[in-house]
Amino acid sequence: PVLDLHGERHYNADYLIEKFISDHFDNMPVRIITGYSDFFIGKTKEIVLRHNLFCYPESPSNQGSYLIMESQWFGKKRP
């Protein structure tokens, strides 16, 4: 699953990110496209931490897309 925040308003960020993560909590990993917006990147990281999840840039050359997962060790599921 992918959430693309391009074109979204800052005031919708909390709701959109929170709902997306909650809706897909049992279907990790997911991807959130923040673009290079410091605001959206910060909100994504804040909400991910609140859920005790981990996020990483999709790749070193793409800092505008984050992979959200349950574990810092890729592929590990909750017991």
Side-chain angles (χ1 to χ4, degrees), residues 44-63:
T44 297
K45 290 179 177 180
E46 174 188 317
I47 293 169
V48 164
L49 287 175
R50 189 180 315 147
H51 285 279
N52 295 313
L53 298 169
F54 297 88
C55 73
Y56 303 95
E58 185 174 347
S59 73
S61 62
N62 186 359
Q63 300 286 315

Side-chain angles (χ1 to χ4, degrees), residues 3-9 33-37 40 64:
L3 172 64
D4 187 348
L5 294 172
H6 284 109
E8 297 294 343
R9 302 284 185 194
I33 300 170
T34 59
Y36 293 100
S37 165
F40 285 141

Side-chain angles (χ1 to χ4, degrees), residues 5-52:
L5 294 172
H6 284 109
E8 297 294 343
R9 302 284 185 194
H10 286 177
Y11 63 81
N12 288 333
D14 281 312
Y15 172 78
L16 292 171
I17 298 166
E18 184 75 44
K19 180 163 179 20
F20 180 74
I21 288 175
S22 296
D23 287 351
H24 298 287
F25 202 75
D26 292 325
N27 195 22
M28 296 286 168
V30 297
R31 190 171 91 163
I32 298 179
I33 300 170
T34 59
Y36 293 100
S37 165
D38 290 334
F39 180 85
F40 285 141
I41 292 169
K43 280 293 176 187
T44 297
K45 290 179 177 180
E46 174 188 317
I47 293 169
V48 164
L49 287 175
R50 189 180 315 147
H51 285 279
N52 295 313

